[in-house]
Amino acid sequence: MRDDQIESLIREIATKHGIAVGRDDPILILQTINNRLLQDGAKAQQDMLDQFKQELEVLAMRWSEDAKNKAERIVNASLNASKESMENMMAQGARETIKSVRAEIDTSLNKINRPIREAKRIAIMNIIAGSMTIIAVTTFLTFTVWFK
């Protein structure tokens, strides 16, 4: 305890209690011991508070890291789900496009097949007509040569 604190305490005791106390009075020794105990207690409490603060900081860092890892896992899962959904939608779109293109090709082939079948029928009729003409000419020539 400092000298000015001791003097202040002596004056306060004299004022409040009307008792004169000297510097060597046992009450001042108790006051000094009490102040020392309070200082030691305050220091111990400060040390415990500092240790608690460090533990809280470590826990906060761990929680932060855990939260970050969980957020990354959630984002990755979301991205994977989105990617899978996009792939499914693209595959479905491709199937629909293929179906649509196939229908268009079939329609075009049907439009082309009719004239081709008609041309084929006409070609067969021309072959038959040509064959009949050759047979008729051959028969005519044969009869004209035999009956001459």
Side-chain angles (χ1 to χ4, degrees):
M1 214 172 172
R2 295 187 329 235
D3 284 339
D4 59 336
Q5 287 178 331
I6 293 173
E7 290 301 321
S8 173
L9 184 60
I10 291 172
R11 277 192 305 266
E12 187 176 343
I13 292 173
T15 306
K16 281 187 179 181
H17 302 289
I19 299 173
V21 178
R23 286 181 115 355
D24 58 347
D25 196 289
I27 193 87
L28 291 178
I29 296 170
L30 286 177
Q31 177 62 26
T32 303
I33 291 172
N34 189 33
N35 281 343
R36 179 63 184 257
L37 289 175
L38 284 174
Q39 288 174 355
D40 290 348
K43 184 178 179 338
Q45 284 182 349
Q46 187 62 46
D47 291 344
M48 288 190 314
L49 282 174
D50 290 342
Q51 182 180 357
F52 184 68
K53 179 181 173 185
Q54 288 174 351
E55 290 174 6
L56 281 179
E57 287 174 351
V58 168
L59 285 175
M61 290 296 288
R62 191 178 311 148
W63 289 341
S64 174
E65 191 66 31
D66 287 346
K68 179 181 173 187
N69 289 338
K70 286 178 184 178
E72 285 179 4
R73 284 196 305 262
I74 290 169
V75 167
N76 287 337
S78 177
L79 286 173
N80 288 337
S82 295
K83 180 181 174 187
E84 192 175 300
S85 176
M86 284 178 28
E87 287 174 354
N88 289 339
M89 289 177 67
M90 287 174 57
Q92 182 180 359
R95 284 191 296 271
E96 290 176 6
T97 302
I98 288 169
K99 189 188 290 185
S100 175
V101 168
R102 182 171 285 146
E104 285 296 319
I105 289 173
D106 288 345
T107 301
S108 297
L109 286 177
N110 286 338
K111 287 180 182 178
I112 293 172
N113 279 340
R114 245 183 250 134
I116 289 174
R117 276 184 270 152
E118 188 65 30
K120 187 176 179 182
R121 190 175 65 78
I122 290 171
I124 291 173
M125 291 177 90
N126 283 337
I127 290 172
I128 292 171
S131 297
M132 289 175 69
T133 303
I134 291 174
I135 292 171
V137 169
T138 306
T139 305
F140 176 73
L141 289 175
T142 304
F143 280 121
T144 45
V145 171
W146 279 355
F147 294 114
K148 234 189 190 190

